[in-house]
Amino acid sequence: VALATPPGIGAIAVIRVSGKNLKPLFKQITDKKTDPVPRYVYYETISDSEKNQIDNCLITYFPGPKSFTGEDVIEISCHGGEAVKKSIVNAALDSGVRLAEPGEFSFRSFLNGKIDLLQAEAVSALISSKSSLSKEISLTHLEGKVSKMLQNIKIKMINLLSIIENELNF
């Protein structure tokens, strides 16, 4: 679990949880009895393990492998006050989830084959971009255009090397 929005007070904050089999966590924090519908946005009261109301939030369940990380993902859009964010993260921690390391969601996406290394680095570059040009370059990398160009070059190099090796054998 991690805060996906910058620290500080704002109108809205986004908290993301990623892992295996998050349907029970979704049901626990929303007190819903049925499995969540994938990619459906619910307006629900989020509660802690003692059923104390934390906030009324928008919550969405993304089943793996069709999520950013390739795992089940829950995204919670809550009010941006420090107490609300901390309480929701603590509720997730109380249910056995651990705090994510910086960049861990992108790392998990990389490990699960959802993005390559250039795309993972592009996420960080996009987040820190300060100009339109920087943003456009980062988006190009994130979309995988550079990776595809490099893959095509690699294929051509392998083909060329196989021809050279074949010629050296005769």
Side-chain angles (χ1 to χ4, degrees), residues 68 106-107 109-111 114-127 134 136-153:
F68 176 72
S106 295
F107 181 64
S109 183
F110 170 73
L111 288 179
K114 301 295 285 183
I115 58 176
D116 62 28
L117 190 56
L118 283 173
Q119 291 170 304
E121 290 177 352
V123 171
S124 177
L126 185 59
I127 291 168
S134 175
E136 290 173 23
I137 291 169
S138 297
L139 280 174
T140 298
H141 285 55
L142 187 58
E143 291 171 357
K145 291 180 182 178
V146 175
S147 298
K148 288 175 188 163
M149 286 177 15
L150 291 174
Q151 183 64 26
N152 288 337
I153 291 170

Side-chain angles (χ1 to χ4, degrees), residues 59-147:
I59 182 169
T60 310
Y61 171 76
F62 300 91
K66 294 183 177 182
S67 69
F68 176 72
T69 63
E71 304 168 333
D72 287 358
V73 171
I74 295 173
E75 286 194 358
I76 302 167
S77 297
C78 62
H79 291 97
E82 292 294 334
V84 172
K85 295 184 288 193
K86 187 176 182 180
S87 295
I88 292 173
V89 169
N90 285 337
L93 293 174
D94 289 344
S95 71
V97 175
R98 69 168 177 80
L99 280 175
E101 298 291 326
E104 185 168 352
F105 294 117
S106 295
F107 181 64
R108 286 173 174 259
S109 183
F110 170 73
L111 288 179
N112 291 320
K114 301 295 285 183
I115 58 176
D116 62 28
L117 190 56
L118 283 173
Q119 291 170 304
E121 290 177 352
V123 171
S124 177
L126 185 59
I127 291 168
S128 62
S129 64
K130 293 185 176 14
S131 70
S132 294
L133 180 59
S134 175
K135 173 193 64 93
E136 290 173 23
I137 291 169
S138 297
L139 280 174
T140 298
H141 285 55
L142 187 58
E143 291 171 357
K145 291 180 182 178
V146 175
S147 298

